[in-house]
């Protein structure tokens, strides 16, 4: 079964992904994030057709503790956060969690 990418965030954030062909998205306007982001993220994570959920890393602060914990520990689908605060180490950990190995490991043996 082929799984898709879903994007969750503000319309400004999701538009670029939609133009690139991502068909699954949850638009949450900035003014509604405190009330609606938990539901949007939960909908994306529970969708069996979704293999990767993409969010802006600044949106994590709007999530409730339970949903944030689910986002941080989810393996299938894997949740990838991108944006201003995501450094190379964070992305490296997300890739490792998603596929089970560290592709960037420089084993000098």
């Amino acid at each position: 079964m082929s799984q898709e990418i879903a994007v969750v965030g503000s319309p400004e954030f999701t538009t670029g992904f939609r133009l690139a062909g991502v068909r699954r998205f949850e638009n949450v306007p900035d003014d509604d994030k405190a009330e609606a982001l938990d539901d949007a993220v939960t909908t994306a994570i529970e969708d069996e057709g979704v293999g990767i959920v993409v969010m802006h890393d600044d949106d994590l602060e709007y999530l409730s503790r339970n949903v944030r914990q689910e986002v941080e520990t989810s393996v299938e689908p894997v949740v990838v956060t991108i944006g201003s605060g995501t450094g190379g180490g964070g992305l490296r950990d997300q890739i490792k969690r998603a596929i089970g190995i560290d592709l960037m490991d420089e084993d000098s043996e």
Side-chain angles (χ1 to χ4, degrees), residues 3 41-48 50-55 60 63 65-81 90 93-100:
Q3 292 185 315
V41 170
T42 301
T43 298
I45 288 175
E46 292 177 352
D47 187 334
E48 292 184 13
V50 172
I52 299 172
V53 177
V54 180
M55 295 178 58
L60 291 177
L63 297 176
R65 184 180 341 173
N66 291 340
V67 174
R68 184 175 181 146
Q69 182 177 3
E70 189 173 348
V71 163
E72 291 173 347
T73 60
S74 180
V75 175
E76 192 175 319
V78 65
V79 179
V80 177
T81 59
D93 291 340
Q94 292 173 12
I95 292 169
K96 183 177 177 183
R97 186 176 75 220
I99 63 174

